[in-house]
Amino acid sequence: MTTDQPPLVRVPARPGPYTFEPATTALLVIDMQRDFLEPGGFGESLGNDVGELRRTIAPLRRLLATARAAALTIVHTREGHLPDLSDCPPAKLQRGAPSKRIGDPGPYGRILIRGEYGHDIIDELAPAPGEPVIDKPGKGAFYATDLDGLLAERLITSLIVTGVTTEVCVHTTVREANDRGYECLVLADCVGSYFPRFHEVGLEMIAAQGGIFGWVAESPDLLAALGPATVA
Ligand code: TIU
């Protein structure tokens, strides 16, 4: 029997199954940058346990391999600022302990400055040629970027959201996406926070009230649902 319906993928999720069409779905990988994740880096220098973030690397590698095999649109983001800090509002610049603020010298170059080693994406999750990398000055990936236009050009209506940190850049991006009409599936094992309780409650907040901001699933369930495209 033939059908005109596009192929749909259905993933067990909370608050209920998430259904998407691969052709109109993008994988968003948020801010998997050395400044946040590398041992000895900026995030760790603030007293954070980067292990809470690094546990996302292995599942994200599997997910990226499968998403590439399935020809999903993949978009990476990086949080950071121009070297002259002209795109960093004073309110953000003055946050944090003196000497550990945006633009200050850090273990991997000037903290969160574009072009610095620490600002770039970790080697394990390096973008493949042709995959867009969105540089964003805010926590949300839609604020002051062309992400919305890029997704619209590709007719994307559904986002699989991953990256760090759960309650900061992931949450802000999901909220922005939700208000713009995108459906979001957040993968619990592919997002992480320095604060485990923020991570847990952040995920609960997304799926609460019938999925007020979106859906939450585990990446192995998504890989199983994608079936033949899954890469071990
Ligand atoms: N990417 C992102 O979440 N930026 C942050 O500053 N996160 C913190 O949790 N600090």
Side-chain angles (χ1 to χ4, degrees), residues 30-31 33 36 79 112 136 139 164-170 193-195:
I30 297 178
D31 299 359
Q33 294 161 256
F36 295 125
E79 179 179 355
L112 291 183
K136 63 188 187 62
K139 303 303 183 196
V164 299
T165 64
T166 311
E167 80 281 13
V168 182
C169 292
V170 170
S193 167
Y194 298 123
F195 306 96

Side-chain angles (χ1 to χ4, degrees), residues 208-226:
Q209 303 184 65
I212 191 86
F213 296 124
W215 287 256
V216 177
E218 302 288 336
S219 71
D221 289 332
L222 172 63
L223 297 187
L226 279 168

